[in-house]
Amino acid sequence: MKKERLINSFLNDVEIRRTVRNWPEDVKAVVDGYRTFTSISHAVQKDAIQNGWSARKFKKGKGWQFIFELLETKDKKYLLMTDKGTTGLTGRVLTPEEYENDLDSVEKWGRFEGVAFTQPREDNTLGSRGRGKFIFVGASKENTILYDTYREDGVYRFGFRTVIKTESPVAAYNNGKGRKKLIEMTGEAIQPLSFVGTRVIIVNPVKELIEDIKNGYFLRYIGETWWEIILKFGVTIKVKIGEMEKVVSIPEDFNLKIEDSKKYKIWYKKNQIIPVNIGKIQAKNLHMIYNNDNIVSNDIRGIAIQRNGMKICTIEPKYMGKEIAERLYGYINFESDTEEKLLEDEGIEHYSYDFRRIFPGAIKRFVEDEIMKFAKEKLGYITDSREIRRQQHRNAERRALIAVNKFANILG
């Protein structure tokens, strides 16, 4: 039987005060957390699409689309992020008291307005820590997002979230009132959703985000992160700027050949079992490619760890020189049971794993071993003890630098 907490019996006899939080600093901390791994622009596309992909109506993505649209008006700029072929944000506008209980799977609007209220396991969600909405807030010069949804039951709802010194207020308006409020707040620049789906709108995006959308980097970020669902399910992801519209494609240099050729050497294994002391890891595919002709782009180097169609991070060749490290790329993905176990050891920004833990650590060792086999059997690699010592020294320097940077950040 679960023991009662010491404090419980005293809570009814005192005047309870809510802990005051400095919300702008909370948002800054979220942004800084993402910046440890990537840029604001990369984080925005990743969290936006994972929200939409998790809400898809059909498992294989039939009818699913995602559209980013940069809208520039005389007074404001907006980034509209819209999903189609999804359920929309179902559920009610919840009271604070209702958050005390476990939320039913239908309460998607409530989860979006709340913070860190996770989805049930059966929803197979990609994100679950409640940080995505705050990278959107942090990507706004005004720390403000608008959002609306249209559902299959005919309900339309509009809401917004902003951040002030000690609060992060939200508001919600249903049907006609919601439509009127959106039009009013955007000066008629944005019309309400008219199809089933959800849209999040970043008000006055930061300069970095606008520039990356206009110079094409944003398209690349999406293709590099979401290549698997584009390739496997043929889904459509678009980026629009005014009248110009581009469909995201897989990076050209991410060429997943299956057989060896003059240009490519391939290491491809399916249905691999990786034993661990508390079970097993089921890898569906381990696919590694070495480009004989060219150095590959930095963002696709290494072996990507994929979860539910999304790239999380990469494992790089260990103790090998540039000749291999700069030309090797690929991925490893897993069966659903393994993906669920991995989620527990995934970083809250969805860009890392704790490789000290059992399952991620076993995967890292397996991939590194396979890279070494590939290098020796197909690439003519001979172990160089001097290169190993140099790499160990570089790794030690890198760890020391990370520790120093963390300490410097604490000191401001």
Side-chain angles (χ1 to χ4, degrees), residues 46 50 126-127 129 305-307 310 312 339 341-354 357 360:
K46 191 172 189 178
Q50 76 169 341
L126 287 169
R129 313 294 178 85
I305 299 180
Q306 300 284 130
R307 180 175 66 77
M310 174 176 68
I312 303 297
E339 287 191 333
K341 293 170 184 172
L342 277 175
L343 185 57
E344 297 174 4
D345 299 323
E346 191 172 299
I348 56 179
E349 290 87 8
H350 308 297
Y351 281 92
S352 65
Y353 284 108
D354 184 350
R357 304 295 293 272

Side-chain angles (χ1 to χ4, degrees), residues 117-172:
F117 290 89
T118 60
Q119 297 274 21
R121 288 286 189 185
E122 62 269 19
D123 281 13
N124 197 26
T125 183
L126 287 169
S128 60
R129 313 294 178 85
R131 291 173 72 84
K133 65 179 71 72
F134 286 105
I135 191 62
F136 303 152
V137 171
S140 162
K141 291 179 183 178
E142 301 183 18
N143 279 162
T144 300
I145 58 173
L146 316 177
Y147 41 91
D148 63 346
T149 191
Y150 188 77
R151 306 184 332 209
E152 288 184 328
D153 60 3
V155 171
Y156 172 86
R157 186 177 293 147
F158 165 74
F160 66 79
R161 174 185 292 277
T162 192
V163 163
I164 55 180
K165 185 68 174 179
T166 60
E167 293 181 13
S168 179
V170 294

Side-chain angles (χ1 to χ4, degrees), residues 53-56 103-108 111 118-126 308:
W53 185 242
S54 293
R56 65 193 184 277
L103 300 183
D104 188 84
S105 60
V106 76
E107 301 296 351
K108 294 180 179 179
R111 282 190 183 80
T118 60
Q119 297 274 21
R121 288 286 189 185
E122 62 269 19
D123 281 13
N124 197 26
T125 183
L126 287 169
N308 206 352

